[in-house]
Amino acid sequence: MGWKRKDLLSLQDLETAEIQDVLDTADSMREIATRDIKKVPTLRGKTVVNLFYEASTRTRTSFEIAGKWLSADVVNFSASSSSAEKGESLLDTAKNIEAMSPDVVVVRHKASGAPALLARHLRCAVVNAGDGAHEHPTQGLLDLLTIRQKKGHLEGLSVAIVGDIAHSRVARSDIHGMRKMGMTVTVAGPPTLIPPACQELGVKVSHRLEEAIAHADVIMMLRLQHERMESGLIPSLREYSRIWGLSLDKLKHCRPDVLLMHPGPVNRGVELSPEVADSQYSVILDQVSNGVAVRMAVLYLLAGSQAA
Amino acid sequence: MGWKRKDLLSLQDLETAEIQDVLDTADSMREIATRDIKKVPTLRGKTVVNLFYEASTRTRTSFEIAGKWLSADVVNFSASSSSAEKGESLLDTAKNIEAMSPDVVVVRHKASGAPALLARHLRCAVVNAGDGAHEHPTQGLLDLLTIRQKKGHLEGLSVAIVGDIAHSRVARSDIHGMRKMGMTVTVAGPPTLIPPACQELGVKVSHRLEEAIAHADVIMMLRLQHERMESGLIPSLREYSRIWGLSLDKLKHCRPDVLLMHPGPVNRGVELSPEVADSQYSVILDQVSNGVAVRMAVLYLLAGSQAA
Amino acid sequence: MGWKRKDLLSLQDLETAEIQDVLDTADSMREIATRDIKKVPTLRGKTVVNLFYEASTRTRTSFEIAGKWLSADVVNFSASSSSAEKGESLLDTAKNIEAMSPDVVVVRHKASGAPALLARHLRCAVVNAGDGAHEHPTQGLLDLLTIRQKKGHLEGLSVAIVGDIAHSRVARSDIHGMRKMGMTVTVAGPPTLIPPACQELGVKVSHRLEEAIAHADVIMMLRLQHERMESGLIPSLREYSRIWGLSLDKLKHCRPDVLLMHPGPVNRGVELSPEVADSQYSVILDQVSNGVAVRMAVLYLLAGSQAA
């Protein structure tokens, strides 16, 4: 009820009631995955185009399954094998796709703001599936959905986000979403990977992992990109892992009901020890399942709710 | 009514009445794109295989959407990741695909005549989606559909096709299609890019852009492949653009109701200035929309009309 | 009736009655390919994920068409463009996919045993679509189906499998399947390409092509991988072809009703002369058609028969 937006570009844009709306819709979508026949006719005759300028089989597959379970036609348009190589601009490619009358274009692009640019110029709905170091709103939403599912509520919970905050679109969407839902957020990581303006987002900054996670209800460990080492932002993977990686030993000092989350894919032995990834604290695979439910909700709200 | 062919290989093959038949069918398909539920059951239970030996997300996507809106099963078989790498011949690959009982094979290949070879050996319908410098018949048909939609008729109209005529399968399909529909065609471009035998196709040749477009009802600007410069056929992109590129300035001397067309993807600043590409003369995006309608018509005529 | 397995990993695992069950089911699926509307609702609302770590358009397409004709949602997850590049383990990738609630994961991997590993850890059904030099069970089944279709029975028939036995997962699945169905198997090839423990599989070994094929009801010619020459296992393609390649001349001494089979893609002029590949003995394209029927049967037995 009441969803009015044409696009989903960021969680920074959304109001609390809108986030609530997506989460409630996703809750009802989640049930579909448990059915014997995982198919509803909601988006029959609607067309979803996955326009991916960065390889991401995982997120693309999640959107593809979400669309198909809703009976939409899903078309994958991988920009590496496309006109991008022939020098066509992003906007020209997108306008060409729009001319084929899709209802939703799901776009991933290495440039922050690319989905917003498309949203301004296209009449169809645009979903940001990750843009540069800006936002990855469906990831932020699936993280909220997972926490709400496990904890029963969001308001008042305390979250530690650990790792490469500076380059993480996941961290940015999480921070915006969690703050809007009344949660307390602490970010922690090497000083080179914490953006200076971080406090303006309403988060606390910690430079010790143990301190950041001590009282957290949720620990979100971010993936360390190997490029960070090459560019000199961390001294070595081994040192990073020793100081900022999460081991069972470090987890012992946390709340016994702490949730361990990770946006995937996990670098086992870097940000998480293998035992932690497979421990009873981990809800990493719940995040993946909830990803399909959140994307069904988003596709439904953007393309199907008028018809309802 | 009365479509009898097994395949669509070229516009040179087709008779005027057959082209008319495709265009009329496409006109009725176009309406589907405007519906809330873009889906008709026409090709339910039919299988369309996109067999693409050259990367072309745009044309492949257009066929994929066309097939899906008609309820066909569409399978993308990209030959770069396939047995072609293992040294299998085109014909063996195609016979293997045919053994999986598709109803239509849509083929793009760098070798002129490859679709015709397959058509002779396969029992299923074959659609040429572009073969070398030979033909790209669905592009020619969507160009005709766009002109007829905008002008109300085709006969007697005058078209200027500008650029690399020699290497363009689009130009070849356009010329055959337009001549059959009673249109006058002038081709223009640097002498190195105009095939000597051009006049045998029934077209006028001009070596000045301004002359070619002065009285044209339609200007079709072709994409300049960057390889042409490397192989010495044009002196430089900048010089090509100055002489053969279309600017708003040059357009001022044209008919006020001239249609500007381009098969895409556009090299902004080479064959078209950005202002021209976005001007009120441009019907480039209508061409893309009509591409889906034409491909629905072709798939329907080849795979679905017997059942009707 | 009575199919009880969660997975299809190998023919070595299966009992004779189970193989019979798949073949009987495939026989009834084969009819669907001949219908005007090739679509049954059997797997509506089921999701099949093709998880391919090796490029194989042919086998992937066969599974994709099989799934679509059964009305399943089919999602292609090509591991080359996926998290595998980001260092994620096979098991983590598979568990992520499972978290999206597929009913069947079809996996191809260069490591022998990879599908078995996944089968142990995933709740959903796993189908081995080829793992290293271990097995390719749906290929073995389609070979059996083709022989049974052409000969009317399997028991007592004599088969010669010729070529690179040592590196062939097809040979291994064929041998297990044929032995279980009461067939006699002779393998033949250069000593460097015959595994020493071959006799333990219950097959005869021959080191002369002419001898191996003289009384065979079926000749299965294996594809020679070019890498074998580079690694010194054969002296030259020309010499291999002269001694181990099948020409019309050599075929003259065979049974007049011999069936010539090949798992594809064929190296024309290496293991088969072009005339042999196109001769009346060849049932190579029947194998491809039967591949779709066998995969429909397997998907049905693993994902659909409970509902029936």
Side-chain angles (χ1 to χ4, degrees):
Chain A
M1 53 170 308
W3 182 268
K4 297 272 187 274
R5 292 181 186 272
K6 179 175 88 69
D7 311 293
L8 177 66
L9 301 175
S10 74
L11 294 194
Q12 183 170 21
D13 287 350
L14 294 192
E15 293 176 28
T16 303
E18 291 177 305
I19 293 175
Q20 208 102 44
D21 199 6
V22 181
L23 299 182
D24 294 346
T25 308
D27 260 337
S28 69
M29 292 297 177
R30 188 163 47 208
E31 181 267 329
I32 293 170
T34 67
R35 295 189 195 169
D36 194 47
I37 295 186
K38 297 183 288 287
K39 193 103 179 170
V40 293
T42 318
L43 295 189
R44 208 176 68 82
K46 305 292 184 181
T47 302
V48 175
V49 175
N50 283 323
L51 173 59
F52 273 56
Y53 281 83
E54 290 185 333
S56 166
T57 311
R58 178 190 301 251
T59 302
R60 197 262 298 150
T61 299
S62 183
F63 273 105
E64 183 173 347
I65 290 177
K68 286 180 169 173
W69 287 0
L70 293 168
S71 301
D73 289 315
V74 182
V75 175
N76 293 316
F77 192 108
S78 160
S80 64
S81 62
S82 84
S83 303
E85 290 175 357
K86 300 186 184 171
E88 190 179 46
S89 75
L90 167 67
L91 192 54
D92 276 345
T93 299
K95 288 200 155 199
N96 269 276
I97 290 173
E98 183 182 52
M100 299 182 201
S101 305
D103 297 277
V104 184
V105 172
V106 178
V107 63
R108 167 162 289 196
H109 200 281
K110 66 172 193 291
S112 300
L117 174 77
L118 297 190
R120 272 199 306 281
H121 286 89
L122 303 189
R123 289 179 312 275
C124 68
V126 174
V127 177
N128 178 3
D131 62 331
H134 173 229
E135 282 224 29
H136 188 356
T138 57
Q139 178 74 39
L141 290 163
L142 72 89
D143 289 338
L144 291 173
L145 184 67
T146 305
I147 299 168
R148 196 175 81 166
Q149 178 190 11
K150 297 295 174 182
K151 294 294 190 187
H153 70 289
L154 294 172
E155 191 159 2
L157 293 180
S158 160
V159 182
I161 306 179
V162 179
D164 181 2
I165 311 295
H167 302 87
S168 174
R169 55 195 177 206
V170 174
R172 219 160 315 270
S173 285
D174 275 346
I175 289 169
H176 286 301
M178 289 166 176
R179 294 293 298 134
K180 281 173 201 277
M181 302 314 284
M183 301 166 77
T184 307
V185 180
T186 303
V187 301
T192 49
L193 298 179
I194 302 286
C198 213
Q199 268 123 336
E200 292 165 22
L201 295 173
V203 306
K204 285 182 256 179
V205 175
S206 170
H207 291 293
R208 276 194 61 234
L209 173 67
E210 289 76 0
E211 177 189 86
I213 66 178
H215 305 289
D217 298 294
V218 177
I219 303 173
M220 172 77 63
M221 299 300 294
L222 298 177
R223 175 180 171 79
L224 185 77
Q225 311 288 341
H226 291 256
E227 308 88 274
R228 301 302 165 237
M229 192 171 57
E230 285 142 33
S231 56
L233 291 171
I234 60 164
S236 74
L237 278 186
R238 186 202 290 222
E239 184 165 338
Y240 180 87
S241 172
R242 191 170 51 77
I243 300 177
W244 295 104
L246 196 59
S247 61
L248 272 188
D249 212 50
K250 291 180 191 165
L251 258 182
K252 274 192 204 131
H253 306 285
C254 293
R255 296 177 56 108
D257 61 348
V258 69
L259 297 183
L260 172 70
M261 304 179 78
H262 188 291
V266 172
N267 276 321
R268 285 174 178 252
V270 181
E271 65 265 9
L272 289 184
S273 77
E275 301 77 38
V276 168
D278 299 329
S279 68
Q280 81 271 26
Y281 307 108
S282 169
V283 295
I284 295 174
L285 294 176
D286 299 277
Q287 292 174 270
V288 178
S289 299
N290 283 325
V292 178
V294 154
R295 282 149 193 148
M296 290 174 82
V298 168
L299 294 178
Y300 167 71
L301 290 170
L302 294 179
S305 58
Q306 317 88 306
Chain B
M1 52 173 314
W3 182 268
K4 297 272 185 271
R5 292 181 185 271
K6 178 175 88 70
D7 311 293
L8 177 65
L9 300 177
S10 73
L11 294 195
Q12 183 170 20
D13 287 351
L14 295 192
E15 292 174 31
T16 303
E18 292 176 305
I19 294 176
Q20 206 103 45
D21 199 7
V22 181
L23 299 183
D24 293 347
T25 308
D27 260 338
S28 70
M29 293 296 177
R30 189 161 50 206
E31 180 268 330
I32 293 171
T34 67
R35 293 189 196 170
D36 195 46
I37 296 185
K38 296 183 288 285
K39 194 105 181 167
V40 292
T42 318
L43 294 189
R44 209 176 68 83
K46 304 292 184 182
T47 301
V48 175
V49 174
N50 283 323
L51 173 58
F52 273 57
Y53 281 83
E54 290 186 331
S56 166
T57 311
R58 180 191 299 252
T59 302
R60 197 262 298 150
T61 299
S62 184
F63 273 105
E64 183 174 348
I65 290 177
K68 287 180 169 174
W69 287 359
L70 292 169
S71 300
D73 290 315
V74 182
V75 175
N76 293 315
F77 193 108
S78 160
S80 64
S81 62
S82 86
S83 302
E85 291 175 357
K86 300 185 183 170
E88 191 179 45
S89 75
L90 167 66
L91 192 55
D92 276 345
T93 299
K95 287 200 156 198
N96 269 277
I97 291 174
E98 184 184 52
M100 300 183 200
S101 305
D103 298 276
V104 184
V105 172
V106 177
V107 63
R108 167 163 290 196
H109 201 282
K110 66 173 191 294
S112 300
L117 174 76
L118 298 190
R120 272 199 306 280
H121 287 88
L122 304 188
R123 289 178 310 275
C124 68
V126 174
V127 177
N128 179 3
D131 62 331
H134 173 227
E135 280 226 29
H136 188 357
T138 57
Q139 178 74 39
L141 289 163
L142 72 88
D143 289 338
L144 291 173
L145 184 67
T146 304
I147 299 169
R148 194 175 82 166
Q149 178 190 14
K150 297 296 174 182
K151 295 293 190 187
H153 69 289
L154 293 172
E155 190 160 1
L157 293 180
S158 160
V159 184
I161 305 179
V162 179
D164 181 2
I165 310 297
H167 302 88
S168 174
R169 54 196 177 205
V170 174
R172 219 159 316 268
S173 284
D174 275 345
I175 290 169
H176 287 301
M178 290 165 175
R179 294 292 298 134
K180 282 173 200 274
M181 301 313 284
M183 302 166 75
T184 307
V185 181
T186 304
V187 301
T192 51
L193 299 178
I194 303 285
C198 214
Q199 269 124 333
E200 293 166 23
L201 296 172
V203 306
K204 284 181 258 178
V205 176
S206 170
H207 291 293
R208 275 195 63 231
L209 174 67
E210 290 75 1
E211 177 190 87
I213 67 178
H215 305 289
D217 298 294
V218 178
I219 304 173
M220 172 77 63
M221 299 300 294
L222 299 177
R223 175 179 171 81
L224 185 78
Q225 311 287 341
H226 291 257
E227 306 90 274
R228 300 304 164 236
M229 191 171 59
E230 286 142 32
S231 56
L233 292 170
I234 60 164
S236 75
L237 279 186
R238 187 201 289 221
E239 185 166 336
Y240 180 86
S241 171
R242 191 170 52 77
I243 300 177
W244 295 104
L246 196 59
S247 61
L248 272 188
D249 212 50
K250 290 179 191 166
L251 259 182
K252 273 191 202 133
H253 306 286
C254 293
R255 294 177 56 108
D257 62 348
V258 70
L259 297 183
L260 172 71
M261 304 179 77
H262 188 290
V266 171
N267 275 320
R268 285 174 178 253
V270 180
E271 65 266 9
L272 288 185
S273 76
E275 302 76 37
V276 167
D278 300 329
S279 69
Q280 80 271 23
Y281 308 107
S282 168
V283 295
I284 295 174
L285 294 175
D286 299 275
Q287 292 173 270
V288 177
S289 299
N290 283 325
V292 178
V294 154
R295 283 150 191 147
M296 291 175 81
V298 167
L299 294 177
Y300 167 72
L301 290 170
L302 294 178
S305 57
Q306 319 89 302
Chain C
M1 52 167 320
W3 182 267
K4 297 273 186 273
R5 292 180 185 272
K6 179 175 88 68
D7 311 294
L8 176 66
L9 300 176
S10 73
L11 294 195
Q12 183 169 22
D13 287 349
L14 294 192
E15 293 173 29
T16 303
E18 292 177 305
I19 293 175
Q20 207 102 45
D21 199 8
V22 181
L23 299 184
D24 293 345
T25 308
D27 260 338
S28 69
M29 293 297 176
R30 190 164 45 208
E31 180 268 328
I32 293 171
T34 66
R35 294 188 196 171
D36 195 46
I37 295 186
K38 296 183 287 284
K39 194 106 181 164
V40 293
T42 318
L43 295 189
R44 209 175 68 82
K46 306 290 184 183
T47 301
V48 176
V49 174
N50 283 324
L51 173 59
F52 273 56
Y53 281 83
E54 289 185 331
S56 166
T57 311
R58 178 191 302 250
T59 303
R60 198 262 299 150
T61 299
S62 184
F63 273 106
E64 184 174 345
I65 289 177
K68 287 180 169 174
W69 287 359
L70 292 169
S71 301
D73 290 315
V74 182
V75 175
N76 293 315
F77 192 108
S78 160
S80 64
S81 62
S82 86
S83 303
E85 290 177 355
K86 300 185 183 172
E88 191 179 45
S89 74
L90 167 66
L91 193 54
D92 276 346
T93 299
K95 288 201 155 197
N96 269 276
I97 290 174
E98 182 183 54
M100 299 183 201
S101 304
D103 297 276
V104 183
V105 172
V106 177
V107 64
R108 167 163 289 197
H109 201 282
K110 67 173 191 293
S112 299
L117 174 77
L118 298 190
R120 274 198 305 281
H121 287 88
L122 303 189
R123 290 178 311 276
C124 68
V126 174
V127 176
N128 179 3
D131 61 331
H134 173 227
E135 281 225 29
H136 188 358
T138 57
Q139 179 75 39
L141 289 164
L142 74 87
D143 288 340
L144 291 173
L145 184 66
T146 305
I147 299 168
R148 195 174 80 165
Q149 178 189 13
K150 298 295 174 184
K151 295 292 189 188
H153 68 290
L154 294 173
E155 193 161 359
L157 292 180
S158 159
V159 183
I161 306 180
V162 179
D164 181 2
I165 311 295
H167 301 89
S168 173
R169 55 196 177 206
V170 174
R172 219 160 313 272
S173 285
D174 275 346
I175 289 169
H176 287 300
M178 290 165 175
R179 294 293 300 134
K180 282 173 200 277
M181 301 314 285
M183 301 164 77
T184 306
V185 180
T186 303
V187 300
T192 50
L193 298 179
I194 302 285
C198 213
Q199 269 123 334
E200 292 165 24
L201 295 173
V203 304
K204 284 181 256 178
V205 176
S206 170
H207 291 292
R208 275 195 62 234
L209 174 66
E210 289 75 1
E211 176 190 86
I213 65 178
H215 305 288
D217 298 293
V218 178
I219 304 173
M220 172 78 62
M221 300 300 294
L222 298 177
R223 177 180 169 79
L224 185 78
Q225 310 289 341
H226 290 257
E227 308 88 272
R228 301 304 166 236
M229 191 171 58
E230 284 142 33
S231 56
L233 292 171
I234 60 164
S236 74
L237 279 186
R238 186 200 291 221
E239 184 165 338
Y240 179 87
S241 170
R242 192 171 49 80
I243 301 177
W244 295 104
L246 196 59
S247 60
L248 272 188
D249 213 49
K250 292 180 191 164
L251 259 182
K252 274 193 204 131
H253 306 286
C254 293
R255 294 176 57 106
D257 62 348
V258 69
L259 297 183
L260 172 70
M261 304 179 76
H262 188 291
V266 172
N267 275 321
R268 285 174 178 253
V270 181
E271 65 266 7
L272 288 185
S273 77
E275 300 75 37
V276 168
D278 299 329
S279 68
Q280 81 271 25
Y281 308 107
S282 170
V283 294
I284 296 175
L285 295 176
D286 299 275
Q287 291 173 269
V288 177
S289 299
N290 282 327
V292 177
V294 155
R295 282 150 192 146
M296 290 175 81
V298 168
L299 294 177
Y300 167 73
L301 290 170
L302 295 178
S305 56
Q306 317 90 305

